[in-house]
Amino acid sequence: MAVTDEAIEKIKEMIVSGSLRPGDRLPKESELAAELGLSRNSLREAVRALSLIRILDVRQGDGTYVTSLDPQVLLEAMSFVVDFHRDDTVLEFLAVRRILEPAATAMACARISDAELDALNARLDVLGSHPSVEELVAGDLEFHRTIVRSSGNSVLCSLLDGLSGPATRARIWRGLARDDAVGRTLHEHRAILSALRDRDAEAARSWATVHIASVEQWLRSTL
């Protein structure tokens, strides 16, 4: 194991064991290096690496802290990596979204409030029947984000947020290429919303699957 990897593992063990908790400040570099049996250089490299993936927060002139370790914070690194996807992997990202988002939509059935449903309905009304592709995609992102947040699962919410980049580009592409894309998307949004209002988890799951699969199927045939 490389020296830096060993240093990363030792800091990870401190966090997992509870020796360092979310929000805790790390001991001074010299003290921590001596405690862990590491050189200061290897410790410094480990801290730099862990700060890049949002495990640690280096505050200039103040010290180094363990972050909140909230899933949304930790999964931001995944979102960064996703943005570097190749065209030949976009279908794989969409397939993952097709697996996860219908489950989140079904979970939201029991938790989403009537006020949130009314707000979603109002946003659809504001879009009207002939929004631009850009307006539709922006509305689509917020529509799904609101529903996924209502699932009550922060990890699922963060994962789907991280996957939104390739999915967004695919939706814009379809919206520009297919004449029926706008009307179809609006119809499917209304169907999902109706299932949520009826508290019908299986119908919500089915409509979310249809909605996401339609983009995936179109892209598969195009590529």
Side-chain angles (χ1 to χ4, degrees):
M1 182 184 291
V3 177
T4 301
D5 290 340
E6 181 186 359
I8 289 171
E9 280 300 312
K10 288 186 175 182
I11 296 173
K12 175 185 168 184
E13 285 170 13
M14 292 181 73
I15 295 171
V16 171
S17 70
S19 299
L20 285 172
R21 302 181 66 82
D24 282 356
R25 180 176 175 173
L26 269 64
K28 290 181 180 178
E29 185 181 89
S30 56
E31 295 173 5
L32 185 58
E35 180 184 342
L36 297 178
L38 301 167
S39 71
R40 293 178 69 170
N41 278 342
S42 62
L43 177 61
R44 202 171 294 134
E45 288 300 318
V47 167
R48 185 176 294 117
L50 289 169
S51 69
L52 287 173
I53 58 172
R54 307 300 301 277
I55 301 293
L56 298 178
D57 178 19
V58 180
R59 305 176 190 174
Q60 199 66 35
D62 185 14
T64 300
Y65 293 79
V66 180
T67 67
S68 66
L69 301 182
D70 183 270
Q72 188 169 358
V73 172
L74 298 182
L75 289 168
E76 281 179 6
M78 186 195 77
S79 178
F80 180 79
V81 172
V82 166
D83 281 338
F84 287 95
H85 76 281
R86 304 186 310 272
D87 286 345
D88 60 350
T89 61
V90 66
L91 282 168
E92 294 179 11
F93 285 111
L94 286 171
V96 173
R97 182 175 174 238
R98 175 171 43 81
I99 294 166
L100 296 179
E101 190 154 325
T105 305
M107 290 165 65
C109 262
R111 302 177 61 97
I112 194 166
S113 68
D114 288 338
E116 287 173 313
L117 291 170
D118 290 341
L120 287 173
N121 189 69
R123 286 188 204 130
L124 290 177
D125 288 343
V126 168
L127 275 178
S129 57
H130 297 93
S132 67
V133 171
E134 291 78 9
E135 289 170 335
L136 180 70
V137 171
D140 184 71
L141 283 169
E142 190 55 36
F143 180 85
H144 292 288
R145 189 173 287 126
T146 298
I147 293 171
V148 172
R149 275 200 304 262
S150 297
S151 71
N153 188 310
S154 59
V155 174
L156 194 51
C157 188
S158 297
L159 281 170
L160 285 165
D161 255 355
L163 292 169
S164 66
T168 299
R169 285 186 278 278
R171 279 176 277 182
I172 291 173
W173 187 7
R174 186 182 74 146
L176 293 171
R178 282 190 60 163
D179 293 336
D180 64 340
V182 172
R184 183 169 180 173
T185 298
L186 293 172
H187 170 71
E188 290 163 355
H189 279 184
R190 293 285 185 187
I192 292 169
L193 189 55
S194 178
L196 289 170
R197 201 175 284 282
D198 291 341
R199 308 297 172 180
D200 187 336
E202 288 313 306
R205 186 195 306 273
S206 297
W207 274 111
T209 302
V210 167
H211 181 55
I212 297 161
S214 65
V215 178
E216 185 186 354
Q217 288 166 358
W218 170 82
L219 189 58
R220 192 179 300 279
S221 66
T222 302
L223 293 176

